[in-house]
Amino acid sequence: MSITTVDRNPLIDAPAATPRRPRVLFVGAAFGAAASVLLVAAELAVYLQVRGQLASAGDATFPEGVVLPLTPGSMGMVTLAMSAVTISWAVYALRNDDRPNAYVAVGLTLLLGVAFINSTVYLYQQLDMAVTASPAGTLLYIVTATHLLMVVVGMMFIAVMGFQALGGQLTGRDAEGMSAAALYWFAIIVIYVVIWYGIYITK
Amino acid sequence: MTVTEDAPAPELVAPEPSTVAPAPAGLVAVLASGDHKVLGRLWIVAALAQLLLVLGASLYVAAMRLDLAGLANLTDSSSDWFSQIVTYRAIGGTFLVLLPLTIGLATVVVPLQVGASTIAFPRAAAAAVWGYLVGSGLVIGAYSIDGGPFGSSRDGIRLFVAALALVVVSEVLAWICIMTTVITLRAPGMTLARTPLFSWSLLIAGAVWLLTLPVLAAMLVITYVFVRYLGDDSGGIYARISWAFGPPAVYAFAIPVLGFIATVVPVFSATRHHLNRYARIAISAVGALVVGGWAIPSFVGESTPWLYKLPWVAVSFLILIPVLALVGLWAATLRKGRVTLASPLLFAVASLVMLLVGLLAGAVQAIKPIKTLVDGPGSSLYGTSWTIAVASYVLLSLAIALLGGITFWAPKLIGRSLREGAARGVAALLLVGTVLWSFPDLVSGVLGQGGDIPGPVEENVSTIEALNAASLVGGVFLALAFLGFLSLVVRAIGGREQPGDDPWHGHTLEWATSSPPPPGNFASLPEITSEAPLYDARHREASTP
């Protein structure tokens, strides 16, 4: 029995590539993330401007007796850094059709999101400052509350995509929804790095 | 012998009840629609309704400037209603009329131009339009209870700030839908480099607004909290938001003007756009220069820390370079083609001339040594009525371009064409009205008349009053032109004459479908090998024996 071989040109005989998917949700999420980041960044810029002017006049940023604690802010930073790993895990798992791992990763990301909200609320309790105490204090609440709102929106986005994954809609190459949610979540983390450094570290 | 049997009698079967719900009609079809054409029309109709209010406010302010002594009494602290009308003219004109009108036209035209069956995120696009409708209504409501900037009703002021924030967020959402459509829903074969220039300009404009409007929203959020919790007065509100319609941010309104002109010039020259790629680069360069989010005022210090600083001066001059390059490209396009002086081309020429005058005046304003002609050291031109004229020229050039856009795309918007002769008359009236409205402000600015809210004038009073009278006449011309245009649209909607699918012999995909387009927009699309697929198709047919 002889074996015949057929020369194949991989460039000609390879199956046609599937058409590129319109990454509508991913692109839309990128624009939404950009708008959200700019919203928080503009508020932070005003806070830093007010704080700088108070410092140059020799005044304290916050009313007497109010100390901005470092620990809850840093805990929030660590929490969000861990969530960057878990959300990447979720996207990776979904792309590889590993749904059990994806569910665990999505659940952990949401849990870390709740932990971040908890750390910020704890910071507010430790701060023990009225919203009306001073302009800089008011701005601190505005910046952190807007970021908290971003976190809540991001968690809802991830939860919806998690449910879609549960329903079998996000698998393999079609895991774009989770990628979009992850992109928004990364934007949340990036802007928090700036907040953490600008508000809690440099004080 | 052939035997023909009788055909069996059809069985009488009772029709099954349809399980498909009938398509909604009437008001429900509008309220529940995610069709980009319906949503775009909603934006346009609402913006045109606001335009009537802004026109009224503008004419009132212009009339008050006829008596400068009386105006000084009006602008004292006890007459804050006049200042509120002045602020409504600016805020309403930009964020309640021109930007929504641009978004409306973009919502209808962009999906058609890129060959998409829908806009990206139709439900978000619907949420944006309804958010705008509610927000703009609440802005009017806030003004009506003395709550605008300089108002005295604290509840009204909070309502105003929250409502304007809702409008701004809605506009951001709408821009996200439009930009995502351009980037992701283009037809096969349409690369970004082949995107029609109007859609391209809206992608660039959307990017600029995406970098600007969230900053404005942040200022509104902070202002709301400061008014609510720290008892801030309403006087600072206007300073915190007026940067968004002053240079350089006001030039962002010019980007769709460039896209509109770049669309109609090749169509009415019956040729391709000369060096299309460079036009794309020039429009992008304008976009890169006019991101104005950095020019927000200091919250606790001086209100214009950026004034006469290098970035501000540089933008005022550098923006002329890409715009003049575009003028050269359009002149070359017109020269190599066969020009038809149709109404959209007249609108385009009028808007271009007004834009150029505005940009030149803006550059002159950025030269600090140029002072006003008042006794003593004089003051810089910025902050006088010269600044108002710069903004007026730029904003009115957009208004002219948008009305030209509605005229050009009327077959796709309303399924009818506007009367050509009357539309030409409107374009001419708009040009004359804009010149009469804005040019006297340039001169009176040199003579020392104040800007937005004019203060007392001590020199050249009679000359300035005469110039203000000329400006008022220009305002009347503009009002007549806008009202004439509205009546043209209404008459066209009531008419029966069908315009055909492609009455202008257009170059881009929106002309490859019926007028008005059906749900889903296209039955089939031509092959796309350039930025002008229909022009290509016509020439292929002509060259086929």
Side-chain angles (χ1 to χ4, degrees), chain A residues 25-99:
Chain A
L25 190 55
F26 189 80
V27 172
F31 288 138
S36 304
V37 165
L38 273 161
L39 176 70
V40 181
E43 291 172 354
L44 183 63
V46 175
Y47 169 81
L48 295 175
Q49 184 191 49
V50 169
R51 192 180 71 178
Q53 284 175 341
L54 285 170
S56 60
D59 296 329
T61 308
F62 301 115
E64 201 177 328
V66 174
V67 178
L68 188 61
L70 177 63
T71 309
S74 299
M75 280 304 298
M77 188 67 257
V78 172
T79 308
L80 284 185
M82 287 193 295
S83 73
V85 176
T86 56
I87 192 70
S88 304
W89 177 17
V91 173
Y92 179 82
L94 270 180
R95 280 185 182 162
N96 289 286
D97 285 330
D98 184 358
R99 288 165 67 183

Side-chain angles (χ1 to χ4, degrees), chain A residues 22 24 31 38 49 53 132 138, chain B residues 121 184 211 225 229 298-300:
Chain A
V24 180
F31 288 138
L38 273 161
Q49 184 191 49
Q53 284 175 341
T132 55
T138 309
Chain B
F121 311 121
T184 62
L211 295 172
V225 176
Y229 292 106
S298 166
F299 223 77
V300 287

Side-chain angles (χ1 to χ4, degrees), chain B residues 191-197 200-201 204 262 266 272-286 322 325-326 329-330 333 336 529-532:
Chain B
T191 59
L192 261 184
R194 292 174 186 163
T195 309
L197 283 170
W200 178 264
S201 73
I204 301 298
R272 287 183 182 284
H273 194 294
H274 186 61
L275 298 177
N276 180 288
R277 182 194 308 171
Y278 294 104
R280 213 170 289 275
I281 293 171
I283 291 172
S284 309
V286 172
L326 282 166
L329 293 177
W330 294 328
T333 308
K336 76 176 182 183
T529 55
S530 77
E531 81 289 349

Side-chain angles (χ1 to χ4, degrees), chain A residues 132, chain B residues 154 223-234:
Chain A
T132 55
Chain B
R154 301 206 68 77
T223 300
Y224 181 89
V225 176
F226 272 46
V227 170
R228 171 76 175 79
Y229 292 106
L230 298 181
D232 245 22
D233 65 22
S234 60

